Amino acid sequence: MICPTTSRATFFVLIPAIVIVLCSAEDAESRVERAIGGRPVSRGSTPWLVLLRATIVTTRFLGIPLQHRHIFCGGTVLNDRWVITAAHCFKEYGSTARTPRNWEVRLATTKLRTSPAERLLHLLGRLLQRSEWMQWEIGVERIVIHPHYNESSIWANDIALVRLSRPVPSGPEFGYIKRVNLPRAFDDSFPGVGQLCVTTGWGCTSNGGGPSPVAREIQLPVYSDYMCELHYSIRDMDKRVCAGYRNGGVGVCSGDSGSPLVCREDGEDVIAGVVSFTSRDRPGEFPAVFTRVTDYVTWIRSVMGVS
């Protein structure tokens, strides 16, 4: 519901992008160019960004898949085996969305789908050892949803970790894949109100639109917790951070779920938030709410087995 006479937004979780297609049909999102106020990013400009994609068969005939559903979310490389994303990416669509074998992680790419030409270039890259031509798709071994995730409490603790089935390629020859830095644990001063940060993902560019075929980034200022509480009728912003504009025509959109909010600190790129939710009816007119990563650093390191 649009609220024309108040400043409050009817909020909703930023659902993962979903496309249901017949196996023989052209992919629907390949015909749509969609992130509100964002601009396309080039390969390598955000080397920590990954695309999480689930393929779930919805209809079979004599054991043959006839129809399937794709779920897309953004994520961020933390180290050579772990990616951080939003918990609701795996909780909104039943147990099949929580099954690791249904997911794959695409790295070093800005495109939602790999074209036939890119697949051919990938084969040539493998033969000729040209990493800049190669595509990286890695399966998922384990999905760890925060134990206190609660969608009925305004998606509290909306954070999850994904363990890859094999290590992420690393080294100077793989410049398109790099980890992002974690912030200091429980650092309430980061990010600061007004600080300009960047979020990147495959979200729609208009409300109700499909996912963007190319990742897009938007620069957002960190928003006051007090004003964010008023907009969304949240009692407190504990473990959350708000970023964006009021009536700015810029913001995250459906399909940006799990994407990172990255801010600069001491000359380094540091992940400050994970996309959680925004306004249901006017996502470009309200700031978005992110899970605040500083409050989860201890949990993240514990799950990853890093001291």
Side-chain angles (χ1 to χ4, degrees):
M1 176 180 69
I2 298 176
C3 310
T5 59
T6 75
S7 64
R8 292 183 177 180
T10 303
F11 57 80
F12 80 131
V13 71
L14 264 176
I15 61 171
I18 298 180
V19 180
I20 299 177
V21 296
L22 295 176
C23 292
S24 60
E26 178 185 359
D27 293 327
E29 64 271 29
S30 66
R31 300 189 299 268
V32 186
E33 181 162 336
R34 302 286 174 205
I36 297 177
R39 64 179 182 85
V41 296
S42 59
R43 189 182 186 213
S45 62
T46 53
W48 50 80
L49 180 69
V50 303
L51 175 70
L52 289 87
R53 170 182 167 176
T55 302
I56 299 171
V57 176
T58 56
T59 305
R60 294 179 185 270
F61 178 72
L62 299 177
I64 301 172
L66 295 181
Q67 198 171 36
H68 57 269
R69 177 178 65 198
H70 286 160
I71 303 174
F72 300 96
C73 276
T76 313
V77 175
L78 294 181
N79 64 20
D80 66 345
R81 292 297 291 268
W82 289 94
V83 164
I84 186 173
T85 187
H88 74 259
C89 291
F90 311 104
K91 297 289 282 187
E92 298 294 310
Y93 301 99
S95 60
T96 53
R98 298 191 291 274
T99 303
R101 68 173 180 271
N102 289 334
W103 290 86
E104 69 176 9
V105 176
R106 296 189 61 215
L107 307 99
T109 186
T110 63
K111 296 186 178 180
L112 193 69
R113 291 190 177 278
T114 305
S115 67
E118 288 171 324
R119 293 190 186 100
L120 177 59
L121 194 62
H122 170 73
L123 293 175
L124 291 174
R126 292 185 64 180
L127 289 172
L128 302 175
Q129 296 297 303
R130 296 290 298 271
S131 64
E132 69 272 19
W133 295 353
M134 297 168 69
Q135 304 291 315
W136 303 99
E137 297 180 355
I138 301 178
V140 171
E141 178 182 283
R142 183 182 171 201
I143 297 169
V144 183
I145 296 169
H146 194 277
H148 301 304
Y149 169 71
N150 187 350
E151 62 187 67
S152 64
S153 182
I154 319 180
W155 300 280
N157 304 296
D158 191 6
I159 190 168
L161 295 173
V162 171
R163 180 173 167 84
L164 305 179
S165 60
R166 59 185 173 88
V168 170
S170 61
E173 69 274 24
F174 298 107
Y176 293 121
I177 305 174
K178 293 182 180 178
R179 69 176 181 87
V180 75
N181 294 293
L182 282 171
R184 290 184 292 271
F186 306 110
D187 183 359
D188 293 336
S189 66
F190 176 79
V193 175
Q195 181 175 354
L196 286 176
C197 302
V198 173
T199 188
T200 313
W202 286 267
C204 57
T205 56
S206 61
N207 192 23
S212 171
V214 178
R216 303 170 75 90
E217 72 173 19
I218 49 177
Q219 192 175 60
L220 302 173
V222 175
Y223 205 75
S224 158
D225 283 355
Y226 171 73
M227 293 302 297
C228 203
E229 289 171 6
L230 292 180
H231 291 328
Y232 291 106
S233 300
I234 301 174
R235 290 184 178 179
D236 66 72
M237 288 290 292
D238 183 43
K239 298 184 179 181
R240 298 185 174 100
V241 60
C242 212
Y245 300 91
R246 179 72 174 96
N247 296 322
V250 176
V252 300
C253 192
S254 180
D256 282 318
S257 294
S259 294
L261 180 71
V262 175
C263 310
R264 298 286 289 179
E265 184 178 42
D266 299 328
E268 300 286 342
D269 291 307
V270 180
I271 183 169
V274 175
V275 174
S276 183
F277 66 87
T278 189
S279 167
R280 182 182 64 197
D281 300 303
R282 293 180 289 169
E285 304 304 323
F286 285 87
V289 179
F290 300 76
T291 303
R292 185 187 291 269
V293 176
T294 59
D295 290 293
Y296 297 91
V297 171
T298 301
W299 175 75
I300 290 169
R301 292 190 180 280
S302 174
V303 172
M304 296 194 307
V306 178
S307 59

